C-alpha cells in the first residue's frame, strides 16, 4: 500500500497495481489531514475544521464518522489482510492512520532529497540523479484540491517550499556539471528540465500524465459536488 500527497491525495494498491477510488473531495481532504502526521491521532474537532472550515453541519461528528467509516472500509477492501487490524482507527477522541515512512511519497521525497544534499560536494552526479527521481514523485501541487483547512494547507506549504529549494539545487548542480546552459531560473512548480536520455525524464513524463488525470478527476468531483449542493438549495426553497 502506498499513500500519496504530492498531488491529489490518493491511495495506491500495490498488489492490484491500481488506485483505490476515493468517492468525494471530503474523503481526499480527510486522507490528506490524517497523512500530515501518520501514526499520530488527529482530534475530531481538528478534522471537522479541516473538512468544513467553520461551516460544519449540525451533526458534524456523525458526518465525520461516516466519512471515516467509508475511508476505513475502502482501505480494508484494498488490503484484506488487515481486516482485523485496520490502518484507520479511533484513538484518544480522534482518529489515526497508520502508514510507514516508506509507504508515503512525501516521506520518500524528503528522505531522498536529504541523501542528495549530503552527496552534492562529493558525488554531484548521484545527487543529481536522486533529486531528479525525488522530483519525479510529484504529480501536481501538494495536497491538490484539499488545502482549504489549516492542517493540509500548512503541510502543503512546507512541502512546496522544499520542492522549490530542490528544484533550485538540481538546476545549480546540472549547470555545474554542464548538463544544461544557465538561463532563466526554473519555474516554481515544475522540475528543472534535463537533457534527453536522462533516466528521470521518463519518470517525470509519466508523473505529468498522472497529474493531468488527477486534475480531471478532481474537477469532475468538484462539479458533481457543486451540482448536488445547488440542487439541494433549490429544493429547500420550494
Amino acid at each position: 500500500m502506498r499513500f500519496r500527497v504530492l498531488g491529489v491525495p490518493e491511495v495506491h494498491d500495490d498488489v492490484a497495481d491500481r488506485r483505490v477510488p476515493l468517492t468525494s473531495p471530503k474523503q481526499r481532504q480527510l486522507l490528506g489531514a490524517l497523512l500530515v502526521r501518520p501514526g499520530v491521532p488527529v482530534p475530531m474537532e481538528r478534522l471537522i475544521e479541516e473538512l468544513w472550515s467553520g461551516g460544519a453541519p449540525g451533526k458534524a461528528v456523525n458526518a465525520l464518522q461516516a466519512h471515516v467509516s467509508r475511508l476505513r472500509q475502502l482501505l480494508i477492501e484494498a488490503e484484506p489482510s488487515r481486516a482485523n487490524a485496520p490502518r484507520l482507527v479511533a484513538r484518544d477522541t480522534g482518529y489515526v492512520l497508520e502508514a510507514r515512512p516508506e509507504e508515503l511519497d512525501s516521506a520518500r521525497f524528503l528522505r531522498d532529497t536529504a541523501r542528495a544534499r549530503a552527496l552534492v560536494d562529493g558525488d554531484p552526479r548521484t545527487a543529481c540523479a536522486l533529486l531528479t527521481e525525488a522530483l519525479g514523485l510529484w504529480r501536481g501541487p501538494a495536497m491538490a484540491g484539499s488545502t482549504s483547512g489549516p492542517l493540509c494547507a500548512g503541510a502543503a506549504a512546507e512541502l512546496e517550499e522544499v520542492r522549490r529549494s530542490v528544484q533550485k539545487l538540481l538546476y545549480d548542480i546540472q549547470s555545474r556539471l554542464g548538463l544544461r546552459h544557465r538561463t532563466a531560473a526554473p519555474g516554481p512548480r515544475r522540475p528543472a528540465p534535463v537533457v534527453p536520455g536522462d533516466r528521470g525524464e521518463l519518470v517525470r513524463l509519466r508523473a505529468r500524465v498522472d497529474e493531468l488525470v488527477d486534475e480531471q478527476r478532481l474537477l469532475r468531483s468538484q462539479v458533481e459536488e457543486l451540482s448536488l449542493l445547488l440542487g439541494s438549495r433549490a429544493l429547500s426553497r420550494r
Side-chain angles (χ1 to χ4, degrees):
M1 186 79 75
R2 282 181 287 159
F3 299 92
R4 296 170 170 173
V5 296
L6 302 181
V8 176
E10 68 174 31
V11 182
H12 190 271
D13 177 0
D14 284 337
V15 175
D17 192 21
R18 68 178 184 93
R19 293 178 182 141
V20 177
L22 302 182
T23 56
S24 73
K26 286 287 187 289
Q27 281 190 356
R28 285 187 284 274
Q29 284 180 281
L30 175 62
L31 176 66
L34 292 168
L35 289 174
V36 170
R37 295 183 66 192
V40 177
V42 184
M44 276 192 181
E45 59 269 21
R46 296 201 68 182
L47 291 173
I48 289 172
E49 174 63 22
E50 192 74 13
L51 267 61
W52 288 283
S53 301
K59 296 183 178 180
V61 171
N62 291 341
L64 173 62
Q65 289 172 339
H67 285 299
V68 169
S69 177
R70 180 56 182 155
L71 180 57
R72 180 190 296 119
Q73 185 58 37
L74 287 171
L75 293 174
I76 290 174
E77 289 172 3
E79 200 173 26
S81 61
R82 296 198 58 148
N84 295 324
R87 290 178 179 268
L88 177 52
V89 296
R91 188 184 301 169
D92 300 335
T93 69
Y95 294 98
V96 59
L97 177 60
E98 299 290 349
R100 299 188 302 275
E102 60 269 23
E103 295 175 321
L104 186 60
D105 63 352
S106 59
R108 290 179 56 202
F109 171 71
L110 295 173
R111 179 201 65 196
D112 289 350
T113 55
R115 289 174 56 200
R117 289 181 191 277
L119 294 170
V120 167
D121 293 330
D123 190 354
R125 290 190 178 275
T126 300
C128 185
L130 282 171
L131 292 176
T132 300
E133 291 179 4
L135 288 169
L137 294 171
W138 287 74
R139 298 167 291 111
M143 306 233 180
S146 303
T147 55
S148 58
L151 286 175
C152 289
E158 291 178 5
L159 287 168
E160 290 289 353
E161 181 63 29
V162 176
R163 184 188 192 184
R164 286 190 289 271
S165 70
V166 169
Q167 289 171 335
K168 182 179 184 304
L169 178 59
L170 177 58
Y171 177 85
D172 291 342
I173 296 173
Q174 288 180 329
S175 297
R176 193 173 73 188
L177 293 174
L179 296 177
R180 56 172 295 154
H181 297 292
R182 186 178 294 275
T183 55
R189 287 188 180 274
R190 293 184 181 275
V194 295
V195 295
D198 189 289
R199 65 177 181 173
E201 187 174 13
L202 179 59
V203 173
R204 285 204 301 280
L205 288 173
R206 287 174 175 169
R208 179 55 181 159
V209 172
D210 286 343
E211 177 184 341
L212 292 172
V213 171
D214 289 333
E215 289 174 356
Q216 183 183 44
R217 185 185 297 112
L218 176 61
L219 287 172
R220 186 182 297 115
S221 65
Q222 289 175 334
V223 169
E224 291 172 354
E225 189 172 69
L226 181 59
S227 298
L228 291 173
L229 177 60
L230 292 175
S232 64
R233 286 181 178 175
L235 289 173
S236 66
R237 287 196 293 268
R238 291 182 181 177

